[in-house]
Amino acid sequence: MNRFLAEFQGDPWADRLVSITDSDLAFYVGTRPWDQALGVEAKVLFFLAYSYATLFLQRDLDKECAFPGLLLLDNPYQQGIDESVVRRVPHMLAQAASETGTQVISTQALTPPSDPKTVRVTPICRRRTYAAP
């Protein structure tokens, strides 16, 4: 997570490392729990860093541990993150997926990285809409 977040120091990530307590596996940013230490934009970056880190679990854990082979992100850029940050994240996730042999599926309005070997854009057609009950 810290490797991912190093890319965003100061925009909007604070210059604090993420740590995990060994007693209850709680996440901390600096000296405070992550959900108390972060504002909205930084929480989105925290979530993306967590998602990025899960792609590397296979490398970090032994062969007998189950690890994710797929990351699903449902429009993770809704919280007002600066556009320059939003543009960097899909590239980082595509690179991580390539390095780890995993898949990343993300619904988003932004143009994804264009490497045809690693990225495929699938337009979703909404033919029917239903009224809420």
Side-chain angles (χ1 to χ4, degrees):
M1 289 179 70
N2 289 318
R3 181 173 67 170
F4 177 92
L5 292 167
E7 291 279 327
F8 304 101
Q9 295 293 326
D11 64 354
W13 190 257
D15 188 20
R16 290 174 278 159
L17 296 177
V18 173
S19 59
I20 303 173
T21 59
D22 60 354
S23 59
D24 62 356
L25 301 178
F27 286 87
Y28 279 76
V29 175
T31 60
R32 297 175 52 206
W34 73 273
D35 57 337
Q36 295 174 15
L38 302 175
V40 174
E41 290 179 39
K43 282 182 181 177
V44 173
L45 273 178
F46 178 90
F47 167 73
L48 292 168
Y50 177 85
S51 299
Y52 176 88
T54 62
L55 296 176
F56 291 94
L57 284 177
Q58 178 184 15
R59 289 186 183 173
D60 298 338
L61 301 173
D62 62 32
K63 301 259 185 230
E64 295 184 20
C65 180
F67 60 90
L70 173 66
L71 171 61
L72 296 171
L73 298 171
D74 185 13
N75 196 10
Y77 311 111
Q78 299 177 42
Q79 302 299 324
I81 281 186
D82 185 79
E83 192 170 322
S84 66
V85 173
V86 173
R87 291 189 188 283
R88 286 187 281 171
V89 171
H91 293 278
M92 294 174 72
L93 290 172
Q95 180 63 39
S98 177
E99 288 177 32
T100 60
T102 56
Q103 292 182 18
V104 176
I105 298 174
S106 176
T107 60
Q108 62 191 48
L110 297 171
T111 305
S114 59
D115 183 352
K117 293 180 288 186
T118 60
V119 177
R120 182 173 62 201
V121 176
T122 305
I124 297 175
C125 185
R126 295 183 183 180
R127 295 183 183 178
R128 295 182 184 174
T129 57
Y130 300 94

